[in-house]
Amino acid sequence: MTEQVVQARLPLAAERHVARTRRPSRLIALIGQHAFLVFFSVFAILPGLLSVLASFKDLTDFYNNPLGVPAVWHWENYTQVWTEAHIPQSALNTFTVVVVTVPIVLACACCTAYGITRFKFRGSNVLYYLFLLGMIIPAQLTILPQVLLEKNLGLINTYAGLILPYIGIHMPFATFILASFARTLPGELHDAALIDGANQWQAFWRIMLPLLQPAVATVAILNSVSIWNDFFFPLIVSPKLPMLQVAVYGLVGQYSTNWGQIFAGVVLSALPLVVAYLMLTKQFVAGLSAGAIKG
Amino acid sequence: MSSLSTTVGSTWQYPARERARREALALGGVAVLSFAALLVVLTVSSAPFTWVMLGVYALCAAVFAWRTAARYPFIAFVLPGLSMYLLFVIFPTAQAFRVSLYEWSGIGEATKFVGLRNFGQALSSTVFYRALGHNLVLYVSIFVLQNTVALFMAVVLHTKLRFFQAYRAAIFLPGILSLVASGLMWQIILGSNIGMLSPLMQAIGLGSLVRDWLGDEVVTFWVLILVQFWQWMGLPMVIYLAGLQNVPEDLTAAARIDGANEIQAFRYVTFPMLAPAFTVITGLSFIVMFRVFDIPFVIAGPAGAPNGTTDVLGLVIYRYAFGIGASVSTSLQQGYAMAVAVVMFVALVAATTIQLVVLRRRELDI
């Protein structure tokens, strides 16, 4: 009896659903949804777009014509900033630090993640939580002792003075993402390799690492972005070896009210990341959320 | 110590195993001792000798890892990363705890031990509680915005409507900008001399509503919240989006067939299924909002201008540790700054642990 009722109701509900999609209220809802998303998309990119516009203005444009496009497009803002303000040199410095640091972080973090997820030893969980703790530690707590440490090691104003602490600082997040990803991988493959006579290193290198690849890409991207964008650490530990964000911040002092040049510098400093982001949006976004959910 | 041993039937090898265990313990002890010696040297001495100690530790650690590779392979895997982490994060953290017990200007050795006085000073100052209050309001506001606006964005995007990729890319974009860039970008909209918003409002006849957006005792704090949300609204959105993809469609369909309307289906079926995403977002934003520093710094400056109405704990610590601006002067109170940072850290660890336990239990209940 009850089964019949359920069967009788099913097509009814489906019909109602079809009818609903054709109704004009559905169209209004769709327009509403798009309007909502367009509003927040514009909200998200408007400051960036206005900065690009501002980077082509000269000072009179800012005061006479604050809202419109520049009367004359001042490309010389860019050439001036490029030649006078150490932007290429500091970008190269930052790039060097990123290129050296990120592979080392990945190597260390992959090994650590493998070590604490594939071996059950006393303290493996303690180690996991110790690394987790690193994600809570506020930078304000550690920055001052880190500066002292750098002084005692003679690392102020050197590449190593940025690279070595960055390795330590980025370990927790990298290990966390890689370990939570490693936990979801099947252990059988790894065990089979060991039974077939591979040693631990071979099992890690040939089995584990290829499987970890998606998480490795996520961590590589996020670490590169955060090092590229870092401002306070280089400001304090390497004032004489200019890093990109410090140089851009310096523009405010150098050009005081020449906002056109300042925004040209801002646009130049953000451009490489934005281009990479637009080409690899999926890796930027999907990797991040997947890592967050699995943790 | 036990390990994942692949040797089968090894009972008769007992003496060899025992010997390996003892060797591992001895070498491990030596490595730990050399690390401790390195830390002591780093606390008291300067350049050349520290590198010698660093080399000694590296050698001890390498021998330890090498000799134990056969029986305890995890040691070799964990040791490099762990060493870097202990040296450059955990050691400075411990140092900060130590410094918080001293009165210290940041020059030379910290010698004047004052016990818990810095903590007493911090916990009885109005500046501390005002900043803490701002952190709390910031967190609650962001929590509300994330679970309304960002959640709704995820739900709408999940219907796979057109331009899905473009919307997602645009909304997430501010998250990859540096704080220097985003701080200057907001100047162009809200700044008092080059800002576009005020001229625009005057042009359309809303001139009476114009405020000094970055220097008003009431408005600036809400601007701060807005900018904070602007920069990171993409993250909760994509996390919720990933969560929504894990909700099986037959479940919501079943609810609809049973007569639930769209809102009820979301409230009683979809949202409970998003519990893991909710846990991650809530925990993450709690940590981020209590150690927030960057955006208040670029929007309102290190003093929490105007008149401390945008002050947060991160800025308080910065002011005592580095003064206004980044120049180091002699009148700094590093011990006090570290005491505030320690309080913040301990509170964060406690609150995060409690939150995670409660929210994980909630996940299970649902």
Side-chain angles (χ1 to χ4, degrees), chain A residues 202-226:
Chain A
Q202 288 164 328
F204 168 70
W205 186 254
R206 305 199 169 203
I207 308 292
M208 200 62 181
L209 219 46
L211 291 173
L212 277 178
Q213 203 128 30
V216 169
T218 304
V219 173
I221 287 175
L222 293 176
N223 278 353
S224 307
V225 170
S226 81

Side-chain angles (χ1 to χ4, degrees), chain A residues 9-10 13 17 20 26 30 33-34 36-38 40-41 43-48 50-51 54 57 62-63 66-67 108 111-112 114-116 118-122 127 130-155 164-165 167-169 171-172 190-191 194 200-201 204 225 229 231-232 235-236 245 248-249 252 257 259 262-263 266 269-270 273-274 277-278 281-282 284-286 288-290 292-293 295, chain B residues 1-4 6 42-43 45-47 50-51 54 73-74 77-78 80-82 84-93 95-97 104 149 152-153 156-157 159 161-163 165 167-174 176-181 184-189 193-196 199-200 203 226 229-230 233 235 238-239 242-243 246 256-259 262 276-277 280 287 291-294 297 314 317-318 321-322 326 334 338 341-342 344-345 348-349 352 360:
Chain A
R9 278 179 63 185
L10 260 171
H17 190 67
R20 181 180 300 238
R26 190 74 199 152
L30 199 65
Q33 288 175 339
H34 276 286
F36 176 75
L37 289 174
V38 167
F40 278 99
S41 301
F43 173 57
I45 60 176
L46 195 65
L50 293 177
S51 303
K57 290 182 176 178
F62 274 103
Y63 294 108
L67 300 175
C108 288
C111 286
T112 306
Y114 178 74
I116 58 182
R118 279 291 168 259
F119 303 96
K120 288 287 153 247
F121 55 93
R122 234 187 303 165
L127 275 183
L130 184 68
F131 278 108
L132 219 58
L133 186 72
M135 301 206 301
I136 307 179
I137 297 175
Q140 296 94 340
L141 184 70
T142 52
I143 181 105
L144 197 73
Q146 275 165 349
V147 173
L148 292 179
L149 184 64
E150 301 245 309
K151 274 188 186 147
N152 285 348
L153 286 169
L155 289 175
L164 293 175
I167 296 171
I169 291 167
M171 273 301 289
H190 168 259
D191 294 343
L194 290 181
Q200 291 292 350
W201 174 252
F204 168 70
V225 170
N229 283 342
F231 171 62
F232 278 100
L235 178 73
I236 289 163
Q245 302 300 333
V248 172
Y249 189 72
V252 179
T257 52
W259 289 95
I262 293 171
F263 280 107
V266 169
S269 75
L273 277 192
V274 173
Y277 170 74
L278 292 179
T281 311
K282 217 173 203 162
F284 270 78
V285 170
L288 190 65
S289 46
I293 290 287
Chain B
M1 278 198 190
S2 66
S3 79
L4 186 99
T6 50
L42 280 173
T43 318
S45 164
S46 60
T50 54
W51 282 95
L54 200 64
F74 62 86
F77 280 108
V78 168
L82 184 64
M84 293 303 284
Y85 175 57
L86 287 179
L87 188 57
F88 287 102
V89 179
I90 297 297
F91 171 58
T93 306
Q95 283 279 60
F97 273 78
W104 186 44
V149 178
F152 192 61
M153 288 196 282
V156 173
L157 276 182
T159 58
L161 74 176
R162 268 161 157 252
F163 312 122
Q165 309 248 354
Y167 287 135
R168 192 183 61 174
I171 290 169
F172 196 82
L173 184 72
I176 66 154
L177 298 174
S178 75
L179 90 112
V180 175
L184 288 169
M185 283 175 182
W186 280 95
Q187 282 285 340
I188 201 176
I189 295 178
N193 48 2
I194 57 160
M196 290 175 172
L200 180 71
L226 186 78
F229 178 67
W230 166 80
M233 65 186 168
L235 189 63
V238 296
I239 293 176
N246 292 339
R256 295 299 303 278
I257 288 165
D258 287 348
E262 219 158 313
V280 169
I287 295 169
R291 40 182 234 186
V292 68
F293 172 79
D294 299 354
F297 184 84
I317 298 167
Y318 178 83
F322 297 104
Q334 309 284 16
M338 290 301 105
V342 166
M344 177 168 144
F345 171 59
L348 266 180
V349 172
T352 309
R360 289 277 182 226

Side-chain angles (χ1 to χ4, degrees), chain B residues 277-353:
Chain B
F278 181 80
T279 306
V280 169
I281 292 168
T282 308
L284 207 61
S285 64
F286 186 78
I287 295 169
V288 172
M289 289 313 138
F290 272 84
R291 40 182 234 186
V292 68
F293 172 79
D294 299 354
I295 290 182
F297 184 84
V298 291
I299 292 291
N307 225 347
T309 48
T310 56
D311 209 8
V312 290
L313 285 180
L315 293 180
V316 174
I317 298 167
Y318 178 83
R319 282 203 303 276
Y320 282 103
F322 297 104
I324 304 278
S327 63
V328 177
S329 75
T330 44
S331 62
L332 302 172
Q333 292 174 274
Q334 309 284 16
Y336 180 77
M338 290 301 105
V340 177
V342 166
V343 170
M344 177 168 144
F345 171 59
V346 171
L348 266 180
V349 172
T352 309
T353 313

Side-chain angles (χ1 to χ4, degrees), chain B:
Chain B
M1 278 198 190
S2 66
S3 79
L4 186 99
S5 172
T6 50
T7 10
V8 182
S10 56
T11 34
W12 57 275
Q13 284 179 327
Y14 182 73
R17 216 162 95 178
E18 182 61 23
R19 213 178 312 130
R21 199 180 72 89
R22 281 192 189 153
E23 192 190 353
L25 275 178
L27 287 172
V30 172
V32 168
L33 278 179
S34 65
F35 192 70
L38 170 66
L39 297 188
V40 170
V41 167
L42 280 173
T43 318
V44 296
S45 164
S46 60
F49 193 51
T50 54
W51 282 95
V52 175
M53 270 321 295
L54 200 64
V56 170
Y57 167 68
L59 195 70
C60 293
V63 171
F64 177 44
W66 180 255
R67 293 294 302 167
T68 53
R71 286 212 179 252
Y72 309 110
F74 62 86
I75 292 173
F77 280 108
V78 168
L79 213 50
L82 184 64
S83 302
M84 293 303 284
Y85 175 57
L86 287 179
L87 188 57
F88 287 102
V89 179
I90 297 297
F91 171 58
T93 306
Q95 283 279 60
F97 273 78
R98 192 176 69 88
V99 169
S100 71
L101 302 175
Y102 287 81
E103 186 186 313
W104 186 44
S105 66
I107 311 286
E109 290 291 317
T111 46
K112 197 175 170 199
F113 184 82
V114 293
L116 295 175
R117 204 184 72 192
N118 288 325
F119 290 91
Q121 229 177 58
L123 294 175
S124 60
S125 84
T126 48
V127 172
F128 175 84
Y129 288 104
R130 187 180 62 185
L132 184 68
H134 287 144
N135 280 101
L136 263 175
V137 176
L138 192 59
Y139 168 62
V140 172
S141 317
I142 292 291
F143 176 83
V144 170
L145 285 170
Q146 282 177 338
N147 287 297
T148 51
V149 178
L151 177 61
F152 192 61
M153 288 196 282
V155 170
V156 173
L157 276 182
H158 186 62
T159 58
K160 287 278 178 285
L161 74 176
R162 268 161 157 252
F163 312 122
F164 166 84
Q165 309 248 354
Y167 287 135
R168 192 183 61 174
I171 290 169
F172 196 82
L173 184 72
I176 66 154
L177 298 174
S178 75
L179 90 112
V180 175
S182 48
L184 288 169
M185 283 175 182
W186 280 95
Q187 282 285 340
I188 201 176
I189 295 178
L190 302 170
S192 53
N193 48 2
I194 57 160
M196 290 175 172
L197 185 62
S198 303
L200 180 71
M201 286 174 73
Q202 266 149 8
I204 59 173
L206 291 171
S208 59
L209 293 176
V210 168
R211 294 283 181 281
D212 181 7
W213 304 109
L214 302 179
D216 188 278
E217 296 204 355
V218 181
V219 177
T220 306
F221 185 63
W222 298 100
V223 167
L224 194 77
I225 293 173
L226 186 78
V227 175
Q228 185 73 45
F229 178 67
W230 166 80
Q231 183 134 40
W232 285 113
M233 65 186 168
L235 189 63
M237 181 189 76
V238 296
I239 293 176
Y240 270 134
L241 203 53
L244 284 168
Q245 270 144 22
N246 292 339
V247 178
E249 269 176 37
D250 7 343
L251 226 59
T252 39
R256 295 299 303 278
I257 288 165
D258 287 348
N261 64 29
E262 219 158 313
I263 293 167
Q264 285 170 328
F266 181 80
R267 168 69 186 81
Y268 294 105
V269 180
T270 311
F271 190 68
M273 293 288 289
L274 289 176
F278 181 80
T279 306
V280 169
I281 292 168
T282 308
L284 207 61
S285 64
F286 186 78
I287 295 169
V288 172
M289 289 313 138
F290 272 84
R291 40 182 234 186
V292 68
F293 172 79
D294 299 354
I295 290 182
F297 184 84
V298 291
I299 292 291
N307 225 347
T309 48
T310 56
D311 209 8
V312 290
L313 285 180
L315 293 180
V316 174
I317 298 167
Y318 178 83
R319 282 203 303 276
Y320 282 103
F322 297 104
I324 304 278
S327 63
V328 177
S329 75
T330 44
S331 62
L332 302 172
Q333 292 174 274
Q334 309 284 16
Y336 180 77
M338 290 301 105
V340 177
V342 166
V343 170
M344 177 168 144
F345 171 59
V346 171
L348 266 180
V349 172
T352 309
T353 313
I354 293 168
Q355 269 194 6
L356 283 184
V357 169
V358 170
L359 290 176
R360 289 277 182 226
R361 193 170 296 160
R362 171 176 168 273
E363 279 174 32
L364 293 181
D365 283 348
I366 294 164

Side-chain angles (χ1 to χ4, degrees), chain A residues 5-271:
Chain A
V5 172
V6 171
Q7 276 172 358
R9 278 179 63 185
L10 260 171
L12 259 178
E15 269 168 38
R16 233 186 302 152
H17 190 67
V18 171
R20 181 180 300 238
T21 54
R22 289 194 191 131
R23 250 189 277 158
S25 67
R26 190 74 199 152
L27 190 69
I28 292 168
L30 199 65
I31 293 171
Q33 288 175 339
H34 276 286
F36 176 75
L37 289 174
V38 167
F39 176 81
F40 278 99
S41 301
V42 170
F43 173 57
I45 60 176
L46 195 65
L49 285 183
L50 293 177
S51 303
V52 173
L53 219 55
S55 70
F56 289 103
K57 290 182 176 178
D58 70 358
L59 206 55
T60 51
D61 284 333
F62 274 103
Y63 294 108
N64 299 340
N65 179 23
L67 300 175
V69 294
V72 183
W73 294 74
H74 294 275
W75 285 93
E76 67 270 19
N77 288 347
Y78 281 88
T79 51
Q80 269 178 21
V81 166
W82 184 267
T83 52
E84 291 170 9
H86 309 297
I87 293 285
Q89 182 54 43
S90 57
L92 194 67
N93 289 344
T94 301
F95 184 72
T96 311
V97 171
V98 170
V99 167
V100 177
T101 309
V102 173
I104 301 178
V105 170
L106 286 174
C108 288
C110 283
C111 286
T112 306
Y114 178 74
I116 58 182
T117 54
R118 279 291 168 259
F119 303 96
K120 288 287 153 247
F121 55 93
R122 234 187 303 165
S124 63
N125 262 330
V126 176
L127 275 183
Y128 180 71
Y129 285 113
L130 184 68
F131 278 108
L132 219 58
L133 186 72
M135 301 206 301
I136 307 179
I137 297 175
Q140 296 94 340
L141 184 70
T142 52
I143 181 105
L144 197 73
Q146 275 165 349
V147 173
L148 292 179
L149 184 64
E150 301 245 309
K151 274 188 186 147
N152 285 348
L153 286 169
L155 289 175
I156 301 282
N157 289 324
T158 63
Y159 286 109
L162 287 162
I163 292 166
L164 293 175
Y166 275 152
I167 296 171
I169 291 167
H170 288 98
M171 273 301 289
F173 177 73
T175 307
F176 169 68
I177 297 279
L178 289 166
S180 39
F181 192 80
R183 277 185 217 278
T184 64
L185 298 174
E188 290 85 359
L189 275 173
H190 168 259
D191 294 343
L194 290 181
I195 289 165
D196 284 349
N199 64 30
Q200 291 292 350
W201 174 252
Q202 288 164 328
F204 168 70
W205 186 254
R206 305 199 169 203
I207 308 292
M208 200 62 181
L209 219 46
L211 291 173
L212 277 178
Q213 203 128 30
V216 169
T218 304
V219 173
I221 287 175
L222 293 176
N223 278 353
S224 307
V225 170
S226 81
I227 295 174
W228 184 271
N229 283 342
D230 197 12
F231 171 62
F232 278 100
F233 197 64
L235 178 73
I236 289 163
V237 303
S238 95
K240 294 214 180 81
L241 179 71
M243 292 292 138
L244 185 61
Q245 302 300 333
V246 180
V248 172
Y249 189 72
L251 293 176
V252 179
Q254 191 175 347
Y255 290 105
S256 62
T257 52
N258 268 335
W259 289 95
Q261 275 96 331
I262 293 171
F263 280 107
V266 169
V267 171
L268 279 177
S269 75
L271 202 60

